Amino acid sequence: MKKIALLLSLSAVSAAAVAQDQTTGPRSGRLASSTDYSPGSSASRNNGFGVKGGFTASNFRGDDKKNFNNEGIYNTFHAGVYAQFGFNNAFSLQPEVLYSRQGFKGAPTQYASRGTYDTRLDYIQVPVLLVYNFLDNVSVHVGPQVSLLTKVKEGSTERKIADDNNVYGYSYNSLDYGLAAGVEARVGPARVGGRYTAGFADIIKDPQNAAANSINNIKNGMFQVYVGIGIAD
């Protein structure tokens, strides 16, 4: 968590720096304001939609994290689309639909014979974020997120989400929900930001034996760095 907090702090500093360095606007030699998103428009730029994607540093947390050896960050990616609906120049609502590949590294102690492997979890994520522009070009965002698990790989083995015929002794939870928060900076229609998302649902469910029960209480956590581009407003 200390690493995640440090990354979020660095993202906030970088976002502020981008806004500080942007000295020309599309209509005059000044800092681009929230009405400059569409040249010649008087409407807030907190409206429209676009595409985004970037890097994900994914891991897990929870009481049973202690039952994993050699655990670590799973580096991967995410991509998707967003829409933004402005209430005014300061506040807006931003729903997104993202494909997020995430997971974690680690060897469950009770499954030592498998060795250390990556657990890959592919989700369709739908965050709904309240965005507040505390500077013309810099905003904070926070809101709930719901995720649907579509694919699981343990090492090189692709397995079903449900544990059919009790082959593994546990299933994966097909639904996750949580909270996302981060910062973002804009330069014209482009944006760059960082976000941390904490999942509240257990990744593993329906443990059928003591080994599976020892890894039952773990939850998703990830830090995302992304770039985006508005394509309409």
Side-chain angles (χ1 to χ4, degrees):
M1 289 299 292
K2 291 182 179 179
K3 293 180 180 179
I4 297 301
L6 178 60
L7 286 170
L8 277 173
S9 299
L10 291 174
S11 294
V13 172
S14 298
V18 170
Q20 193 75 18
D21 290 341
Q22 181 69 11
T23 56
T24 58
R27 288 184 288 178
S28 65
R30 59 175 172 78
L31 184 69
S33 74
S34 57
T35 57
D36 287 333
Y37 186 63
S38 179
S41 171
S42 61
S44 169
R45 69 170 178 176
N46 294 330
N47 288 284
F49 65 93
V51 295
K52 60 179 295 187
F55 169 78
T56 299
S58 177
N59 203 343
F60 64 106
R61 56 193 176 81
D63 292 343
D64 288 341
K65 186 173 182 175
K66 64 182 182 297
N67 296 323
F68 286 77
N69 295 321
N70 303 319
E71 66 88 10
I73 300 294
Y74 182 58
N75 296 319
T76 179
F77 69 95
H78 66 282
V81 297
Y82 68 87
Q84 195 164 8
F85 306 95
F87 305 124
N88 50 49
N89 286 342
F91 289 97
S92 58
L93 191 68
Q94 182 171 303
E96 302 177 356
V97 179
L98 305 172
Y99 166 74
S100 178
R101 180 174 292 182
Q102 54 198 75
F104 54 89
K105 295 179 181 290
T109 304
Q110 300 296 328
Y111 293 89
S113 61
R114 299 184 187 179
T116 301
Y117 57 89
D118 295 343
T119 297
R120 171 183 151 187
L121 307 171
D122 291 1
Y123 286 95
I124 299 298
Q125 295 180 336
V126 182
V128 180
L129 307 168
L130 178 65
V131 179
Y132 170 61
N133 288 29
F134 65 92
L135 295 174
D136 277 331
N137 285 359
V138 184
S139 63
V140 294
H141 51 264
V142 62
Q145 176 172 288
V146 177
S147 304
L148 179 66
L149 183 63
T150 61
K151 186 175 182 178
V152 176
K153 287 189 73 174
E154 295 179 342
S156 60
T157 302
E158 183 174 342
R159 57 158 290 181
K160 293 183 178 180
I161 296 171
D163 186 23
D164 291 343
N165 302 317
N166 197 27
V167 174
Y168 295 92
Y170 57 90
S171 300
Y172 282 85
N173 200 336
S174 60
L175 187 66
D176 192 15
Y177 57 92
L179 187 68
V183 293
E184 181 179 278
R186 299 187 190 178
V187 181
R191 57 182 67 195
V192 58
R195 177 185 304 173
Y196 182 74
T197 300
F200 297 156
D202 289 331
I203 297 173
I204 302 294
K205 71 172 187 176
D206 300 332
Q208 300 298 314
N209 51 51
N213 196 58
S214 71
I215 60 171
N216 183 51
N217 189 350
I218 56 172
K219 298 173 175 63
N220 283 304
M222 63 178 178
F223 179 77
Q224 296 174 325
V225 177
Y226 62 86
V227 294
I229 185 73
I231 57 178
D233 64 327

